[in-house]
Amino acid sequence: MKGKPLVSMVSAGLSKFGKLEGLYAREIFAEAAKEAFDRCPNLDPKKDIKALFLGHMGESYEHQGHTGATAADWAGLLHIPATRTETACASSGAALRAGIFAVLSGLCDTVMVGGVEKMTHRTTAEVTEYLAMASDFPFEQWHGITFPGLYALMATAHMHEYGTTEEQLAMVAVKNHHNGFLNPKAHMQKEVTLEKALSSRVIAWPLKLYDCSLITDGGSCVIITKPEIAKKYTDMPIQIIGSGQASDSIGIYERESLTSLIAAKIAARQAYEMAGVRPEDVDVAEVHDCFTIAEIIGYEDLGFCKRGEGGRLVESGETKLDGKLPVNTSGGLKSKGHPVGATGTAQAYEIYLQLTEQAEKRQVKDANIALAHNVGGSGATATVHIFRRE
Amino acid sequence: MSEQAPFTIEQFYKYISQGKLMGGKCKKCGKIHLPPRPLCDKCFSKEFEWIQIQPKGKLLTYTIIYVAPPQFQQMAPYAVGIIQLENDLKIPGMIKEVTLEQIKIGMNLTVAFEASPTTSQWPQWPRYYFKPA
Ligand SMILES: [Zn+2]
């Protein structure tokens, strides 16, 4: 069964990422859905799409819960079953997995999975508070630990244990900003120098402004179907051949390790095994870089390098666009932006473009196997998906 | 009888207001839970006894928070960390009564206790914090 397609991705859509003034989540999601419909003229959305799974993290932003049904309605899919999945920043990674379950169960032939978040109309203090809700309230939030603070705790430990440097953290930002500079849909299409990243203001030491992903509005979606009927919709379906998901304690203080996310390691192992793929087979990857340290830990958890070697891997340049294993060709959460609920399927969108050779200036040559790594909060959820060109 | 108190987060903070760091020890498998929980995640027992944890440990990792949520903004920049206690237990908290530059991984810290807040809003948990030993 190894490497057998679980489902086929036949289309994908992404709204512009950024500060989308005056637009609300449902309207932003509709923009992403429209692109997915337009890319797939053989698909009749009203007839063919049997369900929506929507990743969305926070009611607080727009004072709006029950967003699955709302998103389906605004996408023109009124009355289909629409369910919101919430696993913090991995909400749409989980939506993708829920969609895979729906198709594999045989209950639905074709479903839309996606995600959305509207964040930029709130103050930074408010967003800081809402994001912290993905962490433990009685012991982390209660003691003033912010969401960047949790990753800063991991960064300090990683620096102490493995000699990872602030420069290496900044190199993740420089790399991802270069990629985002080439992505017309990225929030911050701007190159950043190492000096600028290193001298930016401190958010939670050792993490500075340029170590943090952006507060962004955005929506994303992909359409998945049974592999047997995928050719009905497109000549170039992308196969999802591995899917993993795991959880961990909500408080990082309860974990065995402060320098590794066990949920991500378990999810990766499941996905690799299912796909019959090894880390060295991966040609291009989207790795959850909510903070620069998260990408470095992600390299290690995904087996792209040995434990403790993540800082040196980014320094080697191998994860740059022209390196052996380009990571975050989209610009990642760092430069493309991190509309929390939208991130998981935004990663799948980038992989769809890469594997169908539509990534334009940031196209990776001859990419065949791709991986998406989506982490919820400080690691209490992780999903890993592996994709293959047909 | 303290043994009768429920093994909950609420009770943990009641003990904090009394200046005690208390965990729940599973009577069946011996695992110590800090914070306590009503169901042992190792053996599924619901039988516990309270055990007082030495309020001192070593700093495992830390950060200095500059951008804080609204209720902490006035305190920023402030330090938070995770300390290693006895019995392989760890808890996070603020590090106070120290200049930020003096904070180092491995330093010895003790747990100090604050009084319960006087607001009527949930939650009314008192805070503990860490200070140099
Ligand atoms: Zn037990």
Side-chain angles (χ1 to χ4, degrees):
Chain A
M1 298 305 273
K2 279 192 178 173
K4 183 174 172 276
L6 305 169
V7 300
S8 306
M9 197 157 58
V10 294
S11 191
L14 190 81
S15 77
K16 171 79 178 81
F17 272 24
K19 192 171 164 61
L20 307 179
E21 203 123 17
L23 285 180
Y24 290 121
R26 62 188 81 178
E27 296 153 349
I28 295 166
F29 184 73
E31 188 188 326
K34 170 72 172 148
E35 181 188 339
F37 299 152
D38 287 350
R39 279 181 182 277
C40 198
N42 293 344
L43 178 109
D44 177 347
K46 285 194 193 291
K47 190 171 130 278
D48 295 333
I49 296 178
K50 302 297 191 193
L52 170 70
F53 296 93
L54 181 87
H56 177 240
M57 182 191 158
E59 296 89 354
S60 309
Y61 295 106
E62 292 181 79
H63 209 271
Q64 182 67 65
H66 211 159
T67 44
T70 315
D73 183 6
W74 254 253
L77 301 173
L78 192 65
H79 300 313
I80 65 166
T83 307
R84 167 180 161 195
T85 58
E86 191 277 306
T87 54
C89 325
S91 291
S92 56
L96 174 56
R97 204 168 140 90
I100 292 172
F101 288 165
V103 173
L104 277 178
S105 74
L107 276 179
C108 304
D109 282 353
T110 304
V111 304
M112 175 177 270
V113 300
V116 70
E117 212 80 51
K118 169 69 188 180
M119 305 172 80
T120 64
H121 59 305
R122 294 291 193 168
T123 64
T124 301
E126 285 171 331
V127 173
T128 303
E129 186 185 0
Y130 302 156
L131 287 174
M133 289 178 187
S135 68
D136 181 70
F137 179 66
F139 296 95
E140 291 178 341
Q141 295 173 49
W142 186 245
H143 294 280
I145 308 181
T146 59
F147 190 47
L150 289 165
Y151 277 91
L153 290 170
M154 295 186 230
T156 311
H158 206 276
M159 287 160 63
H160 182 77
E161 214 168 314
Y162 301 116
T164 305
T165 63
E166 291 178 59
E167 286 75 14
Q168 288 168 337
L169 297 179
M171 284 171 193
V172 174
V174 172
K175 170 180 75 69
N176 293 352
H177 271 282
H178 173 72
N179 297 348
F181 170 68
L182 302 173
N183 182 355
K185 285 196 173 176
H187 183 167
M188 199 183 267
Q189 293 161 48
K190 207 170 82 181
E191 299 268 12
V192 167
T193 63
L194 195 68
E195 295 68 36
K196 182 163 184 192
L198 280 170
S199 61
S200 60
R201 70 191 170 97
V202 181
I203 304 295
W205 184 89
L207 301 182
K208 299 156 206 79
L209 185 65
Y210 277 99
D211 289 302
C212 304
S213 54
L214 306 172
I215 295 167
T216 300
D217 307 325
S220 60
C221 66
V222 299
I223 297 170
I224 57 175
T225 188
K226 282 201 314 198
E228 303 83 73
I229 61 168
K231 282 276 167 75
K232 226 169 77 178
Y233 299 121
T234 173
D235 294 337
M236 245 206 288
I238 298 305
Q239 313 298 2
I240 300 184
I241 57 173
S243 173
Q245 182 177 340
S247 61
D248 200 347
S249 67
I250 181 95
I252 71 165
Y253 66 95
E254 290 194 284
R255 299 183 193 159
E256 221 178 272
S257 170
L258 291 168
T259 53
S260 169
L261 299 181
I262 294 169
K265 285 170 93 158
I266 297 170
R269 191 168 64 224
Q270 291 170 355
Y272 282 132
E273 262 175 34
M274 201 180 284
V277 159
R278 296 163 305 167
E280 54 269 37
D281 300 326
V282 176
D283 299 312
V284 59
E286 290 285 303
V287 172
H288 195 92
D289 58 328
C290 52
F291 300 94
T292 50
I293 184 63
E295 180 166 324
I296 285 175
I297 290 175
Y299 293 161
E300 300 171 16
D301 292 341
L302 293 166
F304 295 160
C305 63
K306 286 198 196 115
R307 201 157 167 189
E309 297 283 324
R312 282 176 281 279
L313 180 59
V314 70
E315 191 167 5
S316 75
E318 281 188 15
T319 55
K320 284 187 183 173
L321 206 47
D322 57 356
K324 216 170 80 187
L325 169 55
V327 171
N328 288 327
T329 58
S330 66
L333 286 53
K334 181 73 243 346
S335 162
K336 181 185 62 186
H338 185 25
V340 179
T343 283
T345 39
Q347 293 176 326
Y349 173 88
E350 176 71 7
I351 281 167
Y352 182 78
L353 294 190
Q354 286 290 351
L355 296 185
T356 55
E357 310 249 0
Q358 298 181 80
E360 298 177 345
K361 283 181 190 161
R362 55 190 199 285
Q363 181 65 48
V364 173
K365 254 198 214 145
D366 304 323
N368 185 41
I369 304 276
L371 179 148
H373 158 268
N374 189 198
V375 174
S378 58
T381 295
T383 69
V384 173
H385 286 92
I386 298 176
F387 306 77
R388 192 181 63 210
R389 201 191 280 236
E390 206 202 352
Chain B
M1 282 285 285
S2 64
E3 274 74 19
Q4 302 305 313
F7 291 84
T8 56
I9 291 166
E10 201 65 20
Q11 183 61 40
F12 170 86
Y13 274 115
K14 278 189 187 146
Y15 281 130
I16 292 294
S17 71
Q18 297 165 20
K20 286 190 282 193
L21 189 61
M22 300 291 283
K25 182 172 180 180
C26 175
K27 283 185 175 173
K28 201 171 149 200
C29 76
K31 178 167 176 181
I32 299 168
H33 299 88
L34 183 78
R37 17 172 112 192
L39 174 67
C40 179
D41 67 340
K42 191 173 169 195
C43 77
F44 301 106
S45 164
K46 294 182 78 172
E47 300 292 313
F48 297 92
E49 57 188 349
W50 286 103
I51 171 170
Q52 188 158 2
I53 311 295
Q54 286 277 335
K56 58 179 190 188
K58 271 192 193 329
L59 185 62
L60 283 175
T61 187
Y62 70 98
T63 174
I64 319 276
I65 308 273
Y66 285 78
V67 176
Q71 65 273 33
F72 292 101
Q73 259 174 342
Q74 289 197 317
M75 294 176 70
Y78 56 89
V80 295
I82 298 175
I83 65 165
Q84 176 80 64
L85 303 154
E86 61 181 344
N87 294 311
D88 225 13
L89 299 167
K90 302 191 277 275
I91 49 165
M94 282 197 197
I95 309 167
K96 297 186 188 175
E97 298 177 29
V98 62
T99 55
L100 297 177
E101 296 73 33
Q102 284 174 324
I103 299 172
K104 290 216 158 47
I105 289 180
M107 73 191 291
N108 289 308
L109 295 169
T110 59
V111 184
F113 302 89
E114 285 178 358
S116 291
T118 49
T119 71
S120 56
Q121 237 189 349
W122 179 86
Q124 287 160 310
W125 304 322
R127 289 192 174 86
Y128 59 84
Y129 62 93
F130 311 136
K131 61 178 186 182

